[in-house]
Amino acid sequence: MAQQRTSVPITRVERYVYEIPAHGEMRVPARIYADEELIEELTAPAAQEWSALQQLVNVASLPGIQKAALAMADVHPGYGFPIGGVGAFDPKEGVISVAGVGFDINCGVRLLATELTRADLEGKEDRVADALFHGVPAGLGSTGELKLTEKEIDRVLREGAHYAVNLGYGTPADLTYVEEQGRMSGADPDAVSRTAKQRQLRQVGTLGSGNHYVEVQVVDEIYDEEAARAFGLAVGQVTIMLHTGSRALGHQIGTDYLPFLERAARKYNIPIRDRELVCAPVESPEGRQYYAAVMAGANTAFANRQVLTHLIREALNKALGVAPESIRTVYEIAHNTVKFEEHEVNGRRKRLLVHRKGATRAFGPGRPEIPERYRSVGQPVLVGGTMGTASYVLRGTEKGMRDTFGSALHGAGRAKSRTKAKKEYPADRVIRQLKERGITVRAHGRSSISEEAPGAYKDVEQVVDIMAGAGVIAKVARLRPVVTIKG
DNA sequence: ATGTGC
């Protein structure tokens, strides 16, 4: 829980940017991307969301934080650090924290493009839904076709998606279009507990539950012709979006390292404003060990999405006869990460450790990290909507590089707690309402339908327009759901 | 998010 609940001044510094000036223990200001309506919701005394801004103030108070603690427009309270939050740290004076990454390490979204159009799916929605439902292992505690030994899981932790490709899941061409090419360096399997590895032996290639999904979509609007052409997207085209992460292993790493970093925070005299936001100096042995574990967790998520890409191709081949190789990876971007990147701070290039929790990397044109084919227009940013609403493809901008360390929003952002949503949205009603709007849903658990009901989220169009209005990203394409498979 | 938490 966030500790203090003091009322603080919030001023508007740009059309869609609000600022809490540095005061008290804050080392930098907190900046929030919002419009008038959203900032009112975020600061309403009764609003539960107020804790998201308090969490942001706590982040702004951490040692070594640079420029500002940032909240994207989809911000909502998370464990110790807001979801939709970004914090960049000086490696020498700064810290690394479990809460700043999130428990689902390297959770992310992959977008696949098919050569199909909406007409090719007409009347075949149920067949596609069934094929994906049965072809993609999902649900809490589900196990996949891959059964790894302890030696093999260590290779997953080191090699990420490359391990999956070497086993025949997908192709090297996929990796070109995955953030970091599907593999983080610096991963150390020895930094990951035996428990974490054991839990993952049969979970590589599984979707999971909660807000994880596979969704068949159709491109219904293009906002930026040049970028859409570069990304290979056109109106009427069928796409598939995959949202999942590092499953049990990532979660276990978070569980294991929370008490470890709490001890480190005491050892290095880092003030603890919130016990959920414990951290260690980046360059301490404890900080380095957690980083090595997170990189291993990140690689597990990369491998997971790579295996699932293969299973999705197989399922669509079975349902519609499409050639697996005709389904192309457009891009994959994660939204629970921590990584070293170069950014400009006070006119000087500097290596920083950037935490993005429920926030994506969104690099502007020209950055070498962007695949060559996309480099001139900027990095693709994938924003997953809800079951009933659109998802977006965006691109990073120069202004984003200056203002948000090249970061953007990751989704619509939860507006109602899971508990509240469960009470308010009975699963049957949600399924019926989606059906009426032409969206076919299959779910492995009934509660996830209620918890993930569109009404439990903010308006995705609104939060995307805030970020676009601020110039941090630019809109490229909108995707409408046709078939959704929920964990 | 997660072999759902004290």
Side-chain angles (χ1 to χ4, degrees):
Chain A
M1 292 295 288
Q3 276 187 338
Q4 299 163 23
R5 247 166 211 272
T6 48
S7 76
V8 293
I10 297 189
T11 58
R12 196 169 86 168
V13 291
E14 281 180 44
R15 172 79 176 86
Y16 292 110
V17 187
Y18 292 78
E19 182 170 298
I20 302 173
H23 67 279
E25 294 165 40
M26 291 170 75
R27 294 163 196 259
V28 294
R31 287 204 192 103
I32 305 109
Y33 285 81
D35 58 13
E36 293 82 353
E37 187 191 353
L38 187 55
I39 201 73
E40 202 152 301
E41 284 168 21
L42 286 168
T43 54
Q48 180 204 343
E49 270 109 320
W50 179 228
S51 67
L53 297 193
Q54 186 54 60
Q55 288 178 334
L56 196 65
V57 165
N58 293 343
V59 174
S61 307
L62 291 173
I65 186 157
Q66 302 291 293
K67 283 163 79 165
L70 302 167
M72 305 295 108
D74 56 338
V75 70
H76 57 108
Y79 184 91
F81 190 117
I83 295 162
V86 177
F89 294 82
D90 177 293
K92 293 244 178 295
E93 293 154 24
V95 293
I96 184 167
S97 102
V98 170
V101 180
F103 278 70
D104 190 359
I105 297 164
N106 206 29
C107 183
V109 170
R110 183 182 294 208
L111 183 69
L112 305 172
T114 73
E115 294 172 357
L116 303 168
T117 64
R118 179 66 184 89
D120 296 318
L121 293 181
E122 209 61 58
K124 297 171 185 166
E125 292 87 352
D126 283 316
R127 197 196 301 174
V128 170
D130 289 339
L132 286 169
F133 187 77
H134 292 113
V136 176
L140 200 60
S142 56
T143 55
E145 61 173 46
L146 222 62
K147 294 167 190 69
L148 302 173
T149 63
E150 286 186 45
K151 209 172 231 171
E152 288 165 335
I153 200 78
D154 277 2
R155 288 194 59 188
V156 170
L157 303 196
R158 273 197 216 95
E159 299 168 28
H162 292 249
Y163 182 78
V165 168
N166 286 336
L167 285 182
Y169 295 98
T171 66
D174 289 325
L175 302 177
T176 305
Y177 297 101
V178 174
E179 183 179 15
E180 311 281 358
Q181 290 75 53
R183 176 195 203 161
M184 296 301 298
S185 60
D188 182 3
D190 291 340
V192 178
S193 70
R194 183 116 195 269
T195 315
K197 293 178 195 177
Q198 289 285 342
R199 287 181 66 180
Q200 194 64 25
L201 294 179
R202 295 186 64 178
Q203 293 207 338
V204 177
T206 64
L207 189 65
S209 64
N211 63 1
H212 291 165
Y213 60 82
V214 178
E215 187 169 272
V216 180
Q217 313 162 321
V218 60
V219 179
D220 85 332
E221 189 151 359
I222 297 286
Y223 306 93
D224 181 332
E225 288 289 347
E226 188 196 351
R229 211 174 310 122
F231 299 165
L233 298 173
V235 170
Q237 186 178 3
V238 172
T239 58
I240 298 146
M241 192 172 266
L242 163 66
H243 176 209
T244 186
S246 51
R247 306 287 285 108
L249 183 135
H251 191 267
Q252 188 64 46
I253 290 173
T255 306
D256 291 339
Y257 275 90
L258 207 66
F260 184 76
L261 291 195
E262 182 167 358
R263 286 195 297 276
R266 291 194 211 291
K267 176 176 164 187
Y268 297 103
N269 292 314
I270 299 168
I272 300 171
R273 291 167 57 86
D274 178 351
R275 277 193 63 180
E276 295 182 353
L277 190 60
V278 290
C279 53
V282 177
E283 295 189 345
S284 65
E286 293 85 352
R288 286 175 200 269
Q289 193 184 322
Y290 174 60
Y291 180 82
V294 171
M295 295 303 108
N299 285 337
T300 306
F302 282 137
N304 194 28
R305 287 189 289 266
Q306 186 60 36
V307 173
L308 287 168
T309 296
H310 172 84
L311 298 178
I312 290 166
R313 285 177 170 136
E314 297 270 286
L316 285 171
N317 172 259
K318 201 170 147 194
L320 302 168
V322 297
E325 60 273 18
S326 71
I327 300 173
R328 177 176 59 89
T329 295
V330 176
Y331 203 62
E332 178 184 301
I333 190 77
H335 48 239
N336 273 359
T337 61
V338 65
K339 57 175 78 176
F340 290 101
E341 294 172 359
E342 277 202 3
H343 290 280
E344 206 161 284
V345 181
N346 301 325
R348 302 238 306 259
R349 268 199 103 60
K350 201 171 163 183
R351 186 169 169 262
L352 301 177
L353 185 70
V354 185
H355 295 70
R356 294 190 181 92
K357 197 232 197 130
T360 71
R361 192 184 74 178
F363 279 179
R367 284 285 296 221
E369 293 89 343
I370 304 173
E372 211 180 325
R373 188 172 157 189
Y374 305 157
R375 199 170 296 153
S376 66
V377 297
Q379 181 212 293
V381 175
L382 306 174
V383 176
T386 71
M387 292 183 280
T389 56
S391 292
Y392 283 85
V393 181
L394 317 169
R395 63 175 181 85
T397 65
E398 300 284 2
K399 189 162 191 287
M401 295 311 298
R402 291 194 299 273
D403 294 356
T404 62
F405 305 102
S407 310
L409 79 174
H410 84 305
R414 184 169 283 283
K416 286 174 186 164
S417 71
R418 289 175 196 274
T419 330
K420 205 171 168 191
K422 218 181 283 192
K423 281 185 199 141
E424 236 170 283
Y425 308 107
D428 293 340
R429 201 177 75 201
V430 176
I431 293 169
R432 194 181 64 241
Q433 284 171 345
L434 291 170
K435 191 79 209 167
E436 280 164 11
R437 295 169 48 207
I439 302 164
T440 305
V441 181
R442 297 277 190 282
H444 291 262
R446 288 175 60 79
S447 61
S448 76
I449 292 278
S450 302
E451 288 172 11
E452 302 302 321
Y457 283 84
K458 297 192 222 292
D459 178 357
V460 68
E461 322 235 345
Q462 184 185 356
V463 295
V464 165
D465 283 343
I466 290 166
M467 299 304 288
V472 167
I473 46 84
K475 293 204 278 187
V476 175
R478 187 173 64 196
L479 315 169
R480 286 277 172 206
V482 180
V483 171
T484 301
I485 310 301
K486 299 287 302 170

